[in-house]
Amino acid sequence: MEPGEVAVDAAKREVLEEMHVECEEMHLLGRFRTDVNRGMGWVHGFLAAHCKKTNKRTKEEGEEVVGEADVERQDLKTLTLTELRDAARNGDFLEVQWSNTVSLALLHPELMGKRDCYN
């Protein structure tokens, strides 16, 4: 999160920056401690809904952003709901933050009872 930024705005910005997607709704799944023994930060989990690809940029030319030098490699992977459920069930998400967020999202009313669709 950027200084002074609220969690939902940070989530929207991250989705836009990392996936080039804008979402109409962000459902809070919870706020959880991360790396508790060292008193680190918090994870704010969200379920993004009603999202669409966009060409929008999140910052102005030359503007510095916290974490801008992030060199983590990320590959966007699309899963159907069935594949997502199977991956969660099979323990395919190796970081507890991801397994927690995905599992909570799958239990959210927005996804409960839904079947695969590509709308």
Side-chain angles (χ1 to χ4, degrees):
M1 288 177 31
E2 300 292 335
E5 190 174 33
V6 295
V8 69
D9 293 337
K12 288 179 182 179
R13 179 182 49 74
E14 286 291 331
V15 169
L16 181 58
E17 287 175 3
E18 305 292 341
M19 300 172 56
H20 308 287
V21 169
E22 278 189 307
C23 301
E24 291 178 24
E25 297 177 19
M26 297 296 273
H27 302 280
L28 180 63
L29 300 172
R31 179 176 178 252
F32 305 94
R33 279 300 242 171
T34 182
D35 208 356
V36 176
N37 289 344
R38 292 188 282 179
M40 299 306 268
W42 294 89
V43 172
H44 298 82
F46 288 90
L47 169 62
H50 310 288
C51 303
K52 294 183 181 177
K53 284 280 193 186
T54 184
N55 292 325
K56 285 187 179 177
R57 293 182 48 88
T58 57
K59 63 179 182 157
E60 298 298 321
E61 190 68 32
E63 179 183 359
E64 287 190 35
V65 177
V66 172
E68 188 172 17
D70 188 358
V71 294
E72 174 185 26
R73 179 173 176 207
Q74 299 178 12
D75 296 315
L76 184 60
K77 184 174 182 179
T78 302
L79 300 174
T80 65
L81 270 175
T82 298
E83 291 169 333
L84 186 64
R85 287 179 178 120
D86 289 344
R89 205 174 293 118
N90 295 333
D92 293 345
F93 298 98
L94 301 180
E95 285 201 31
V96 71
Q97 297 169 13
W98 284 109
S99 60
N100 180 59
T101 301
V102 168
S103 297
L104 288 171
L106 290 170
L107 293 171
H108 191 276
E110 181 79 20
L111 294 183
M112 286 293 292
K114 283 199 174 183
R115 297 174 190 246
D116 291 334
C117 64
Y118 297 96
N119 298 352

